[in-house]
Amino acid sequence: MADATLFRTCPDTGLPVHLPAQRLIKANAVAGVLALALGGLQGLMVALTRWPDLQLLPAEAFYTMLTGHGLNVLLFWIIFFEVAILYFASAILLKSRLAAPNLAWVGFVLMAVGALTTNYAVFQGDSSVMFTSYVPMRASPLFYLGIILFAVGALIGCFIFFATLVIAKDEKTYEGSIPLVTFGALTAAIIAVFTIASGAIILIPTLLWSLDLIPEIDPLLYKVIWWAMGHSSQQINVSAHVAVWYCIAAMVLGAKPLSEKVSRMAFLMYILFLQIASAHHLLVEPGISSNWKIFNTSYALYLAVVGSMIHGLSVPGAVEAAQRRRGFTRGAFEWLRKAPWGNPAFAGMFTSLVYFGFLGGISGVVMGAEQLNLIMHNTLYVPGHFHATVVAGTTLAFMAITYLVVPLIWRREIMFPTLAKWQPYIFGLGAAGISLFMMGAGTLGVSRRHWDINFTDAALSFSYPDTAFLMMALNGLSGLLAAIGGVMFVVIVVSSILFGKKRGDDAAETNPVIGVGGGQAVASYGSEGTLKLPGTMILVGVFFIAFFLYYWVNWKYLSEVWPLS
Amino acid sequence: MAIFPPEKRIWWKEPLHGFELVWIGICLVWAIVMFGTMIVWHVIGEQNLSNTAYRIDPDVFAARTEAMVTQYTVREEGDTGIPVVHPPAGSDVYLQASLWQWYPILELEKDKEYRLHLSSIDWQHGFSLQPTNINVQVHPGYEMVITLKPNKAGEFGIVCNEFCGIGHHNMLGRIYVVE
């Protein structure tokens, strides 16, 4: 049974907090933010190099920097933070003790050592193979070893999460079903196990190959399995940040899902169908049939997309319902106008939702159509898409919840509140700009991962349209804006943790970070079915029209390229 | 509140919000439309990627490319020494990717069909034909055969859009399309 001395009671939420879990949440979140700081800086260098008039770095340094950028932000920042979310969603939300904290620390150390090892290999300069490390291009063995160690550590984190669910059930720390946020985290953890297993299946042989113990790895086989890790790991992010959206909406506004059934079903669709998206990266490969591509790229009839579209209704719907319950009932949008836009947690959450849906979601589905991929594969459209999902979506959502984690878990007040108020908007706008302008350049054919689109030293010549150069400059400016937002975030968080005013027990009244009545008062489950939600209906209507039009425009573009079969 | 468990145990028996049901219906119909579009495009669309591919030894592919170059070279490109090859319309043409070159330069006739054989003899490369914007992945050991019909005359660049090492950004090829 749980040792009561290892718990404190949170004065804000009334939840019992398991102290060993709290320490692990802090450690993982800090490691994540450090990776974000490094990876973000590398991202800025990349954006400024791809600005044709600046071309900041020389070619070799650019490719090294780009490799490090991908690893640090896409892998290390996000997965460290996700492990923190897993511990939070299990131990804290279920009011339970965390299973085997010492083993969790072993996992943390493995992840940290792995991240450092891979970074060391990249900075040596002999492993500039990009995040994807497609064979037969070869990195130093340490590069693969570091990622494998990191993955093993993350796997331990997942199993600590599962074990905590078992303990909480066994010790009856909660009644009925697990909360929706925990359910979302569970989705993320299940996908993570699949992801890490795929990674092990391909990276362990690749490590042996880099040590000359295996003569050859088939490049196509590598991609099929590597992307079962590479793409599924992005589905961990989706599940985790959707869970974070529900979490912030609940904590700040006391929002309930419109109906638990639908939201949980949407998460279940992720588990069932998101895994096969490896195909998104294989649509223009030789030797894979169209039948396979169509079935897999569409997540079996787009059922995972349906899942995301359901969350796209359910999350703003929950916010609208909660706001209307609080009396903001005038017109279609009073609830939205009067939302707590000055609260960085809410602002980050809602803008993340909008950017993820409109920019990331639509572009992802369009790019994932078998034939449309022909006009987008490996152009800048691809990073344009995933900066909308992973930066404007996941990263912004994780930043947003950090504004709740610092006061609630660290018990420190957020320093520089005015800066914090602006941070999600600045970072979000920068990230959205990066996405839009890269997608624009990609539509004009500009290649991703390319140092010089002027082709200065090439034997032949070719010029992209002038608009493409404008797009790249705007991308550079957006990168600067996002970097400013990123620096603001790191400064606010690090200084609050180190020097922030200790949050007193009466702060729940004097300086609340969760909504009035946010805590247990709204702990009830109830259908919001009787409430009218005109604002959300208009929002999803606009979304659907944008989606519909943009989808067909791209088929029009496709119909204009050289006929091929 | 989502971060607490539902108070009533039987949450799956709660009624759905009316608009939620409508939205799920719209989503499912849209999903079927998008799925169907990919299939329909194979029937009515003119831009579908080939399903023809073979495993091939890189040396064999290089030899076949060289044979075509020997037979059909019409000139050299400026002072670069790269051969420009004008194979007969309707024939099999070879384009070889290597670090860091597309070889050779092809000269094709507008509105004529060609069977383009694409492969790499070393690492992976990305065939990005610009400005028409066709992007295909090129693997070593796999030969993709694409039936291609240039519908516009002019000078087209082949950018490598799969990162392939330090010379990646200098890997630029060309296709001429003549009337």
Side-chain angles (χ1 to χ4, degrees):
Chain A
M1 281 304 285
D3 177 353
T5 58
L6 289 176
F7 284 84
R8 68 171 175 87
T9 301
C10 175
D12 285 273
T13 59
L15 291 173
V17 176
H18 188 229
L19 296 172
Q22 174 173 300
R23 280 192 286 274
L24 278 155
I25 291 170
K26 287 181 180 177
N28 280 283
V30 165
V33 171
L34 291 177
L36 175 68
L38 175 59
L41 190 68
Q42 289 171 319
L44 177 65
M45 300 289 130
V46 169
L48 295 182
T49 305
R50 292 222 58 173
W51 186 339
D53 291 334
L54 284 184
Q55 215 179 33
L56 185 69
L57 298 174
E60 207 172 339
F62 168 75
Y63 293 126
T64 302
M65 205 59 94
L66 185 49
T67 305
H69 169 60
L71 289 159
N72 281 317
V73 285
L74 207 51
L75 216 53
F76 304 145
W77 142 244
I78 284 183
I79 294 186
F80 268 123
F81 203 87
E82 275 160 359
V83 171
I85 290 175
L86 288 184
Y87 295 161
F88 170 79
S90 53
I92 312 293
L93 291 187
L94 297 179
K95 304 165 218 155
S96 168
R97 65 186 169 92
L98 190 77
N102 289 336
L103 187 58
W105 280 108
V106 172
F108 174 77
V109 169
L110 279 174
M111 287 170 74
V113 170
L116 289 172
T117 306
T118 300
N119 266 303
Y120 172 77
V122 172
F123 277 107
Q124 289 292 90
D126 59 352
S127 297
S128 300
V129 293
M130 299 293 135
F131 177 59
T132 45
S133 56
Y134 290 150
V135 302
M137 196 164 35
R138 189 187 287 226
S140 102
L142 287 179
F143 177 91
Y144 309 108
L145 182 67
I147 299 175
I148 293 167
L149 290 178
F150 183 83
V152 172
L155 192 62
I156 292 176
C158 293
F159 281 101
I160 299 282
F161 170 79
F162 296 134
T164 306
L165 293 190
V166 173
I167 287 175
K169 184 94 189 159
D170 188 50
E171 296 182 353
K172 296 192 173 51
T173 61
Y174 67 97
E175 286 182 15
S177 306
I178 56 174
L180 182 59
V181 173
T182 309
F183 192 84
L186 176 60
T187 304
I190 291 172
I191 297 176
V193 172
F194 171 87
T195 299
I196 293 167
S198 306
I201 290 170
I202 197 61
L203 284 175
I204 292 172
T206 308
L207 170 65
L208 298 177
W209 166 77
S210 74
L211 291 164
D212 289 322
L213 298 172
I214 287 180
E216 193 191 354
I217 295 200
D218 183 89
L220 195 55
L221 174 91
Y222 176 92
K223 279 180 101 165
V224 173
I225 305 175
W226 194 91
W227 278 113
M229 169 184 78
H231 204 97
S232 305
S233 63
Q234 306 320 308
Q235 321 295 15
I236 311 174
N237 303 342
V238 175
S239 311
H241 79 225
V242 173
V244 165
W245 291 343
Y246 280 114
C247 186
I248 294 176
M251 290 173 86
V252 175
L253 295 170
K256 309 171 192 176
L258 293 183
S259 62
E260 290 273 349
K261 180 161 53 179
V262 170
S263 296
R264 283 170 196 242
M265 187 59 76
F267 274 123
L268 189 65
M269 281 172 157
Y270 284 171
I271 301 178
L272 295 177
F273 301 110
L274 275 180
Q275 334 274 2
I276 55 186
S278 169
H280 286 182
H281 305 265
L282 304 164
L283 294 175
V284 296
E285 309 293 307
I288 299 176
S289 78
S290 288
N291 297 347
W292 188 92
K293 288 174 180 171
I294 289 176
F295 181 82
N296 287 282
T297 193
S298 69
Y299 306 107
L301 260 151
Y302 288 105
L303 289 175
V305 174
V306 170
S308 279
M309 287 172 79
I310 290 172
H311 289 306
L313 167 78
S314 182
V315 176
V319 171
E320 178 170 4
Q323 286 284 81
R324 282 183 186 276
R325 214 165 354 92
R326 299 158 131 227
F328 299 113
T329 52
R330 223 172 319 143
F333 286 113
E334 191 193 16
W335 64 275
L336 195 59
R337 276 200 315 277
K338 300 269 173 72
W341 294 109
N343 178 340
F346 177 83
M349 170 256 161
F350 208 88
T351 42
S352 153
L353 168 72
V354 171
Y355 290 143
F356 180 81
F358 277 86
L359 295 178
I362 294 177
S363 65
V365 175
V366 167
M367 186 169 60
E370 189 210 356
Q371 296 94 337
L372 293 180
N373 195 253
L374 269 173
I375 57 173
M376 290 164 179
H377 175 77
N378 269 0
T379 66
L380 268 175
Y381 195 93
V382 180
H385 154 72
F386 70 67
H387 279 75
T389 55
V390 179
V391 187
T394 308
T395 300
L396 189 51
F398 287 2
M399 284 175 167
I401 200 164
T402 306
Y403 290 112
L404 298 180
V405 169
V406 169
L408 295 180
I409 299 288
W410 261 275
R411 305 302 307 164
R412 299 277 190 168
E413 300 292 2
I414 297 286
M415 286 178 83
F416 317 117
T418 316
L419 219 54
K421 207 176 275 186
W422 285 98
Q423 190 275 332
Y425 297 106
I426 292 174
F427 182 80
L429 209 61
I434 292 172
S435 313
L436 266 177
F437 297 124
M438 279 205 276
M439 283 192 243
T443 305
L444 296 166
V446 178
S447 165
R448 69 186 290 199
R449 297 174 167 175
H450 201 285
W451 178 66
D452 180 20
I453 60 169
N454 281 306
F455 306 100
T456 318
D457 296 329
L460 299 167
S461 62
F462 170 73
S463 341
Y464 285 111
D466 289 343
T467 326
F469 288 83
L470 177 66
M471 294 282 176
M472 296 315 293
L474 290 170
N475 174 57
L477 280 175
S478 307
L480 262 177
L481 193 62
I484 293 170
V487 168
M488 285 164 74
F489 175 75
V490 173
V491 167
I492 293 166
V493 169
V494 171
S495 36
S496 303
I497 289 169
L498 295 179
F499 313 111
K501 193 171 134 250
K502 284 223 161 46
R503 187 169 170 80
D505 288 353
D506 57 346
E509 276 92 47
T510 56
N511 183 21
V513 290
I514 61 171
V516 183
Q520 273 87 336
V522 278
S524 65
Y525 164 73
S527 170
E528 302 276 20
T530 51
L531 277 169
K532 290 264 174 280
L533 304 169
T536 300
M537 284 162 78
I538 294 170
L539 284 181
V540 297
V542 170
F543 171 78
F544 187 76
I545 292 166
F547 194 170
F548 186 88
L549 294 178
Y550 187 68
Y551 183 74
W552 296 118
V553 162
N554 277 284
W555 285 97
K556 173 86 173 72
Y557 289 156
L558 175 71
S559 73
E560 288 161 2
V561 310
W562 293 8
L564 70 165
S565 59
Chain B
M1 176 159 178
I3 63 163
F4 290 100
E7 194 175 65
K8 297 172 199 160
R9 293 277 191 97
I10 318 175
W11 48 264
W12 59 87
K13 285 193 177 166
E14 287 287 314
L16 288 189
H17 190 284
F19 185 66
E20 244 178 339
L21 205 56
V22 173
W23 179 242
I24 292 170
I26 294 172
C27 292
L28 284 173
V29 171
W30 180 232
I32 290 165
V33 169
M34 291 196 297
F35 187 77
T37 304
M38 291 192 284
I39 297 167
V40 170
W41 195 262
H42 274 278
V43 181
I44 63 159
E46 289 193 308
Q47 292 81 10
N48 286 289
L49 190 60
S50 155
N51 276 319
T52 311
Y54 305 96
R55 279 185 186 278
I56 192 164
D57 187 302
D59 293 337
V60 174
F61 189 83
R64 288 185 191 164
T65 309
E66 206 46 57
M68 176 197 71
V69 170
T70 317
Q71 203 176 352
Y72 299 119
T73 296
V74 288
R75 60 175 188 277
E76 281 190 356
E77 176 70 32
D79 54 2
T80 60
I82 307 170
V84 179
V85 179
H86 188 124
S91 68
D92 286 76
V93 297
Y94 292 81
L95 185 66
Q96 169 190 304
S98 64
L99 304 168
W100 289 283
Q101 189 184 25
W102 297 100
Y103 180 82
I105 294 177
L106 298 170
E107 187 173 88
L108 309 176
E109 292 165 31
K110 187 181 166 233
D111 294 327
K112 298 283 167 48
E113 270 190 0
Y114 295 86
R115 279 164 52 84
L116 175 68
H117 296 244
L118 261 179
S119 190
S120 161
I121 57 167
D122 39 52
W123 290 356
Q124 291 188 42
H125 298 282
F127 171 87
S128 177
L129 186 68
Q130 299 296 338
T132 184
N133 203 8
I134 293 172
N135 305 277
V136 179
Q137 190 79 14
V138 185
H139 282 258
Y142 291 86
E143 175 188 31
M144 187 186 253
V145 188
I146 304 168
T147 306
L148 193 77
K149 193 161 94 178
N151 60 4
K152 218 171 163 186
E155 201 181 293
F156 293 84
I158 308 169
V159 179
C160 177
N161 71 4
E162 182 57 72
F163 173 70
C164 57
I166 187 63
H168 165 57
H169 47 273
N170 295 328
M171 183 169 169
L172 192 61
R174 184 172 290 173
I175 292 181
Y176 290 105
V177 179
V178 293
E179 294 282 348

